[in-house]
Amino acid sequence: MNKVKTGIGRRSFIKNVAVAGGGLIIGFNWLACQRAAEEGSEEMAMQMPDEWFELNGYLKVGDNGVVTIYSPNPEIGQNVKTSMPMIVAEELDVDWNNVIVEQAPLNTDIFTRQLAGGSQSIRQGWQSLRTAGATARQMLLTAAASEMDVPVSELSVEKGIIKHAGSDKSVSYGEIAKAAAKLEVPQEVELKNKADFKIIGTSRRNVDAKKIVTGQPLFGLDTYRDGMLTAMVVQPPAFGMVLKSLDAEAAKDMPGITDVFTISTYPEDMEKEWSDVAAFNNLVVVVGESTWQVMQARKKLNIEWDLNAELTKEIEILEKSAGMEDATGLESTEIHTRLLTEVGPRKAEVVRKDGDPEKAFKNAAKVIERSYTCPFLAHNCMEPMNFFADVRKDKAELFGPIQTPEFAENSISKRLGLAPEQIDIQMSRMGGGFGRRLYGHFLIEAAVISQKMGKPVKLVYTREDDMTNGVYRPAYHAQYRAALDANNNLVAFHVKAGGIPESPLFANRFPAGAIDNYLAESWTVDSNITFGAFRAPRSNFIAGAENSFLDELAEEMGKDPIQFRLDMLKRAETNPVGEENDYDPSRYAGVLKLVRDEASWEKEQSPVSRGVSAYYCHNTYVAQVLDMSLKNNQPIIEKVTCAVDCGIVVNPDAAKNMVEGGTIDGIGHALYSEMTFEDGVPLKSNFHNYRLIRHQEAPKKIDTHFVKNGIDPTGLGEPPFPPVQGALANALYKATGRRFYNQPFIKELQNEVPTELKT
Amino acid sequence: MAEFNVNINGKDFDIDADPTTPLLWVLRDHLKLVGTKYGCGIAQCGACTVHFNGAAVRSCQLPISAAAGAKITTIEGLSEHGDHPVQQAWLEVDVPQCGYCQAGQIMSASALLNQNPSPSDEEIENAMSGNICRCGTYVRIKEAIKKAANTQLS
Ligand code: FES
Ligand code: FES
């Protein structure tokens, strides 16, 4: 029996039906047209129902059998808008072709964790999505049983048609929905056996695909409303600077300009949410009729900026204490390098220790020590930050791209002095997230501007605003040491890692648990530069560093790099060191074995050079083998083979798409991308000087294989991103005979001295 | 301000705008044709790609004064029912992730196939490297272009 408590009360319905209105019809028509075209017949096109019946907050059934399923979580390209409703539809036993998907509004009465982050949407939504579908199914069955006057146990459902076993009676969901909607919501329902899944585990296309390929409005930036004004902000040019004075006369005279003023996003006394991160609090705002006019007017502003002594003072003290005579508190990449390599590591504190690593290192026959670095990164979502706000005296309507609508609602409530019930936040589809849109300062800015103007406003960041606005992936450093005995056995392992301004270390991850003498140390150094979660935070560096080191270690020990890891995992499984290890050694080994087989690891591969890597983060295991060659000193990535264990794969083709994307993104950032600074100024401002991986640099082929184990699903947005950086570094070594320690690797590859080592 | 007559997706429009206004912002702000995206504004990302007399151009760098008199096609006008072979291939391969770059990718891809009905892998890579996909859908983009090329040829 697979019974679960529903926890769904009658009040758990989407009250704001108007929300679904306009979008619903458009969404419906597109889907209908698409399907009609596919089936080759106009009759196949569904008709809109005359009446909808809500069975619970996740779905409603139309009198003709069409079902609307609300996708609760923000869609940033991870495809939850398709996969979350698939899970509901599975338990509901409805024909997927009769399903319309709508983005749910923010509604914490109905939905839990409406957040895109940590690759958790599917994992944490799994139970409630299934329960919602099963609950509605049971209500429909109960209603049908009473209408047919037969026991529920004699009924079965297929694709929304309820049939009675002992007779030829049948009724469709559409016909019985009205009666079902009058029933009490059951307190307990039965979930399907996983073996009976018909939708989960089959590939279903992105529900927004047709709108995407025909250019329909979907994104926050596509919002246009009657009477809407366009706003842009101007931020200080450097981290550690603030607004001193503003002369806006010339700008105000420019055509189409409505107003120029300054705002403070977060007043000092406001209690902030964790997501309220903003490097620049006092901003100049230009409001006007159209984007281009506002852009032109911005150029006419006369602004003076000043050092923010409060911010820079502490950094200056830190720099001076590190012997930097020329310290100003305005940071540069050069200073960061010294902080990362000299100052930071001296502050390290022990976070885990097993056995007696000091003694083991002292008695070692050989000690190998290597250090790895990576630079700051900007998220660079393709759709720059933006938000629409219409703030009136007693209500605020907000629409746009945000990964944390619930936290944003709290912040808006405090900032505007409105009750949460007076605030309506709707999520648009997002042109990427990668963690950047967890931090909703732009939403507050839009709301404050709209409040001031008393008009609907769309706040738009230019690419330059977006890229130089902070909330970066931190710069990290990791030093690894390994002690070998006279027989080349690994006897101790030491990792000391830190960053500006957070540490990438996970002390309890592999290879912790596999080595008797283990030491992990962590440190951080402060900064004026704001940082935020960036696709697979911290893992996005440490996975590559660790896997590069393990590769070098395996070579030193004369072992095959996969077998070396498998041997350690065997130890962690059969006789683990410590109790805090946060990975499952057998699943870890599982992806390594799968990638070994699928990539034919043991066969000679010349002329390509290959590297392997494996990592566990965000509850998912990934191993990758990367094959490359060099042409004119430019890496040509021939193929990446990926083995993934994320449990049940809800939507296989879309899951592959995620793995491909994470893999390309991981290669791209490790190879090409960096943000650098001088005097507090971010030196990259657009794609002419900030390099992102392009089509011709991407792998020619990506082969993805999933472990089939029937375990409840975990996420895929982040896990494929970190390990591939290690596979890349290890393949580069095979191709060049040189090890790569400092990202972005292209600089070392093409013989440029990396910024990190220039000091 | 000046008046410009522009032909977009087969229709003539009289646009009242500053002559320096890029076509991108005319499409989006004036005409509410929002399929053409803003990504960088400096011809580096391809999100704003449209067809200018059949050739792929970056509309963020094309002032409205230079667009006057030309035949402009945007993603909305690529086909009447969203069934251009490139759009269909995009659906079949299920290319998009976030989807933001995809209109620009499709406009670059369709212009490529107009010019070169059966491009090699290398030709695809060269033609498509001006279009950034931050989500990393490049492998699928290539697959979809090949699929569309095959459909068009057969
Ligand atoms: S917006 Fe025109 S190329 Fe990027
Ligand atoms: S699909 Fe997101 S940028 Fe290409």
Side-chain angles (χ1 to χ4, degrees):
Chain A
M1 270 299 161
N2 197 4
K3 289 215 180 224
V4 294
K5 298 256 180 281
T6 64
I8 298 174
R10 288 229 56 107
R11 70 187 177 89
S12 304
F13 286 59
I14 292 189
K15 292 163 204 108
N16 192 354
V17 180
V19 164
L24 181 70
I25 290 156
I26 294 166
F28 175 77
N29 285 341
W30 278 114
L31 281 166
C33 293
Q34 183 184 345
R35 284 188 194 119
E38 278 164 15
E39 305 287 344
S41 119
E42 281 299 325
E43 303 102 75
M44 292 304 293
M46 295 178 296
Q47 301 296 313
M48 280 298 276
D50 293 326
E51 211 175 338
W52 288 107
F53 303 100
E54 294 207 331
L55 298 189
N56 59 55
Y58 284 79
L59 62 97
K60 58 186 181 186
V61 180
D63 56 11
N64 62 348
V66 172
V67 175
T68 294
I69 301 178
Y70 297 100
S71 181
N73 284 25
E75 172 63 61
I76 57 177
Q78 81 281 47
N79 208 22
V80 288
K81 195 171 171 186
T82 306
S83 53
M84 293 185 103
M86 280 174 71
I87 299 168
V88 178
E90 176 69 68
E91 292 288 347
L92 183 59
D93 259 328
V94 70
D95 185 349
W96 182 249
N97 289 321
N98 284 342
V99 171
I100 298 168
V101 172
E102 284 292 315
Q103 177 71 58
L106 175 66
N107 188 329
T108 48
D109 280 349
I110 302 174
F111 308 110
T112 49
R113 200 185 181 278
Q114 286 184 283
L115 185 149
S119 300
Q120 294 301 308
S121 294
I122 294 296
R123 177 170 175 258
Q124 297 201 28
W126 178 242
Q127 194 73 4
S128 52
L129 294 161
R130 290 183 74 190
T131 307
T135 306
R137 179 183 188 272
Q138 184 156 322
M139 290 165 76
L140 290 157
L141 280 175
T142 307
S146 93
E147 187 173 289
M148 293 179 190
D149 200 17
V150 298
V152 176
S153 60
E154 289 175 14
L155 298 180
S156 62
V157 196
E158 203 174 326
K159 293 191 168 180
I161 309 289
I162 303 172
K163 289 201 173 108
H164 178 234
S167 67
D168 58 0
K169 286 180 190 165
S170 83
V171 66
S172 73
Y173 275 3
E175 291 162 336
I176 204 69
K178 185 172 186 174
K182 292 188 186 127
L183 298 176
E184 277 301 308
V185 178
Q187 289 307 301
E188 202 175 59
V189 291
E190 204 172 317
L191 300 181
K192 273 188 183 175
N193 287 321
K194 290 170 183 170
D196 297 331
F197 285 166
K198 294 190 185 75
I199 295 176
I200 291 171
T202 63
S203 294
R204 307 291 162 147
R205 282 184 201 157
N206 186 326
V207 293
D208 279 341
K210 185 79 182 196
K211 286 189 192 173
I212 290 168
V213 306
T214 52
Q216 300 308 300
L218 276 172
F219 301 94
L221 216 48
D222 300 342
T223 311
Y224 288 88
R225 302 277 176 88
D226 286 343
M228 183 190 92
L229 294 166
T230 298
M232 288 193 183
V233 292
V234 181
Q235 65 201 22
F239 295 94
M241 300 203 90
V242 279
L243 179 66
K244 184 179 174 193
S245 72
L246 165 68
D247 167 6
E249 287 322 304
K252 279 186 186 169
D253 286 345
M254 292 286 284
I257 297 309
T258 322
D259 207 351
V260 181
F261 49 88
T262 61
I263 59 164
S264 157
T265 313
Y266 299 110
E268 239 158 61
D269 54 351
M270 182 180 147
E271 192 194 321
K272 287 191 189 176
E273 297 288 338
W274 65 270
S275 52
D276 289 325
V277 176
F280 307 114
N281 197 41
N282 293 309
L283 304 163
V284 177
V285 179
V286 181
V287 186
E289 283 161 22
S290 72
T291 318
W292 186 247
Q293 289 173 322
V294 175
M295 283 178 172
Q296 298 316 300
R298 288 208 314 179
K299 297 182 193 156
K300 302 283 181 201
L301 292 168
N302 288 311
I303 308 177
E304 277 185 300
W305 309 99
D306 213 353
L307 267 192
N308 182 345
E310 210 183 306
L311 281 178
T312 48
K313 210 169 42 204
E314 281 179 41
I315 302 297
E316 194 181 330
I317 294 167
L318 171 82
E319 291 168 348
K320 287 225 163 101
S321 75
M324 295 169 201
E325 294 301 322
D326 48 354
T328 58
L330 289 174
E331 296 162 59
S332 68
T333 297
E334 199 179 315
I335 285 169
H336 286 155
T337 303
R338 284 161 67 182
L339 293 171
L340 279 176
T341 54
E342 299 163 29
V343 182
R346 289 204 293 268
K347 300 170 48 176
E349 284 174 20
V350 175
V351 282
R352 174 165 169 165
K353 185 168 166 175
D354 299 319
D356 191 345
E358 289 86 355
K359 190 167 146 210
F361 272 100
K362 216 166 95 204
N363 297 337
K366 195 192 288 175
V367 172
I368 303 165
E369 183 186 313
R370 300 289 183 266
S371 292
Y372 302 83
T373 63
C374 72
F376 283 87
L377 292 177
H379 292 76
N380 286 326
C381 303
M382 270 327 272
E383 179 194 16
M385 298 306 112
N386 68 88
F387 228 84
F388 170 84
D390 188 0
V391 177
R392 300 296 159 103
K393 238 192 208 77
D394 51 357
K395 69 178 172 77
E397 187 202 339
L398 292 119
F399 177 79
I402 179 78
Q403 290 179 249
T404 49
E406 194 178 337
F407 295 97
E409 187 178 77
N410 293 341
S411 303
I412 285 283
S413 166
K414 282 180 222 158
R415 181 61 179 86
L416 301 182
L418 291 175
E421 305 79 66
Q422 295 172 302
I423 300 161
D424 179 23
I425 298 184
Q426 303 280 338
M427 294 163 260
S428 64
R429 188 178 181 87
M430 290 177 236
F434 311 105
R436 179 62 183 85
R437 295 189 223 269
L438 294 165
Y439 311 98
H441 58 88
F442 44 85
L443 177 149
I444 315 275
E445 290 156 18
V448 171
I449 297 166
S450 170
Q451 188 179 45
K452 174 142 180 137
M453 298 301 297
K455 292 227 167 87
V457 162
K458 180 171 65 177
L459 170 70
V460 177
Y461 275 44
T462 62
R463 173 58 57 199
E464 289 81 3
D465 298 339
D466 185 291
M467 205 182 283
T468 58
N469 187 254
V471 199
Y472 299 128
R473 194 280 300 271
Y476 296 124
H477 180 269
Q479 184 194 61
Y480 286 91
R481 292 164 71 221
L484 303 180
D485 67 13
N487 298 321
N488 245 0
N489 293 315
L490 175 62
V491 289
F493 192 92
H494 176 199
V495 52
K496 188 194 283 187
I500 310 171
E502 71 160 7
S503 168
L505 186 74
F506 293 92
N508 296 319
R509 286 191 181 165
F510 183 76
I515 302 160
D516 288 310
N517 302 300
Y518 172 86
L519 179 65
E521 294 180 90
S522 188
W523 55 267
T524 61
V525 166
D526 287 345
S527 172
N528 287 325
I529 299 167
T530 48
F531 78 102
F534 183 107
R535 195 173 205 171
R538 301 147 73 204
S539 305
N540 60 33
F541 163 70
I542 202 93
E546 173 195 304
N547 277 285
S548 300
F549 187 66
L550 291 179
D551 200 71
E552 209 165 334
L553 198 50
E555 186 182 39
E556 194 68 37
M557 294 164 69
K559 289 194 173 192
D560 170 78
I562 292 184
Q563 195 54 49
F564 172 54
R565 288 171 173 87
L566 290 176
D567 291 346
M568 284 207 283
L569 287 161
K570 190 89 214 160
R571 163 74 204 271
E573 187 178 2
T574 52
N575 181 21
V577 182
E579 274 151 25
E580 310 263 276
N581 307 323
D582 70 353
Y583 60 96
D584 175 340
S586 65
R587 291 182 79 180
Y588 223 122
V591 289
L592 273 162
K593 289 176 191 161
L594 184 60
V595 87
R596 181 185 62 191
D597 296 345
E598 295 294 349
S600 306
W601 176 258
E602 272 138 13
K603 288 208 195 95
E604 193 49 49
Q605 296 297 322
S606 61
V608 298
S609 308
R610 51 178 21 187
V612 66
S613 181
Y615 203 64
Y616 166 69
C617 64
H618 304 276
N619 313 97
T620 293
Y621 299 80
V622 177
Q624 285 147 323
V625 167
L626 183 143
D627 295 342
M628 62 164 286
S629 55
L630 280 177
K631 197 171 156 191
N632 303 327
N633 226 14
Q634 169 65 34
I636 310 291
I637 318 287
E638 308 286 354
K639 184 176 162 190
V640 184
T641 309
C642 307
V644 181
D645 180 356
C646 58
I648 292 168
V649 181
V650 176
N651 191 4
D653 187 55
K656 281 190 179 170
N657 201 345
M658 277 321 295
V659 175
E660 291 161 11
T663 300
I664 292 174
D665 199 15
I667 294 170
H669 280 98
L671 205 44
Y672 299 116
S673 307
E674 65 172 340
M675 176 56 86
T676 54
F677 306 90
E678 206 168 314
D679 293 330
V681 178
L683 296 181
K684 320 265 177 176
S685 57
N686 205 326
F687 299 128
H688 65 299
N689 55 15
Y690 193 108
R691 194 164 170 192
L692 286 177
I693 191 167
R694 288 176 181 271
H695 194 120
Q696 62 201 2
E697 296 151 348
K700 311 271 173 240
K701 193 166 183 240
I702 300 176
D703 228 356
T704 303
H705 305 271
F706 293 101
V707 173
K708 294 184 182 69
N709 55 18
I711 297 173
D712 283 356
T714 54
L716 278 175
E718 288 154 294
F721 180 95
V724 75
Q725 309 190 351
L728 171 69
N730 299 336
L732 277 167
Y733 165 64
K734 285 283 161 59
T736 62
R738 283 150 57 200
R739 291 279 175 185
F740 287 77
Y741 301 103
N742 303 293
Q743 294 184 14
F745 298 141
I746 196 72
K747 290 174 123 179
E748 279 179 64
L749 180 68
Q750 296 179 347
N751 283 329
E752 204 184 306
V753 182
T755 335
E756 288 74 16
L757 299 180
K758 262 187 199 154
T759 45
Chain B
M1 287 288 193
E3 189 139 312
F4 299 95
N5 183 272
V6 200
N7 185 282
I8 295 163
N9 300 332
K11 266 193 250 161
D12 283 325
F13 293 93
D14 288 322
I15 313 279
D16 198 14
D18 182 286
T20 64
T21 312
L23 175 64
L24 167 68
W25 296 114
V26 171
L27 293 171
R28 294 184 60 84
D29 283 358
H30 296 239
L31 302 174
K32 311 292 182 276
L33 287 169
V34 297
T36 306
K37 300 298 191 222
Y38 166 72
C40 68
I42 58 164
Q44 289 291 319
C45 78
C48 65
T49 306
V50 298
H51 294 175
F52 179 94
N53 296 332
V57 297
R58 311 296 182 225
S59 66
C60 67
Q61 289 297 299
L62 188 74
I64 185 67
S65 53
K71 277 182 105 57
I72 304 290
T73 307
T74 72
I75 186 75
E76 291 91 344
L78 186 61
S79 62
E80 207 177 324
H81 302 291
D83 54 0
H84 185 282
V86 172
Q87 288 168 312
Q88 262 171 347
W90 242 251
L91 291 174
E92 276 167 45
V93 178
D94 210 10
V95 176
Q97 285 186 27
C98 82
Y100 193 79
C101 73
Q102 300 294 346
Q105 305 276 4
I106 289 170
M107 295 311 282
S108 290
S110 51
L112 165 68
L113 293 183
N114 272 344
Q115 233 175 45
N116 179 355
S118 61
S120 66
D121 281 21
E122 211 179 314
E123 286 167 334
I124 294 175
E125 286 163 19
N126 289 337
M128 298 303 294
S129 283
N131 287 78
I132 295 175
C133 175
R134 173 67 179 81
C135 298
T137 61
Y138 298 125
V139 176
R140 280 175 191 244
I141 288 171
K142 189 181 284 158
E143 189 187 335
I145 293 175
K146 288 186 187 175
K147 189 170 272 238
N150 281 335
T151 324
Q152 278 184 329
L153 286 179
S154 62

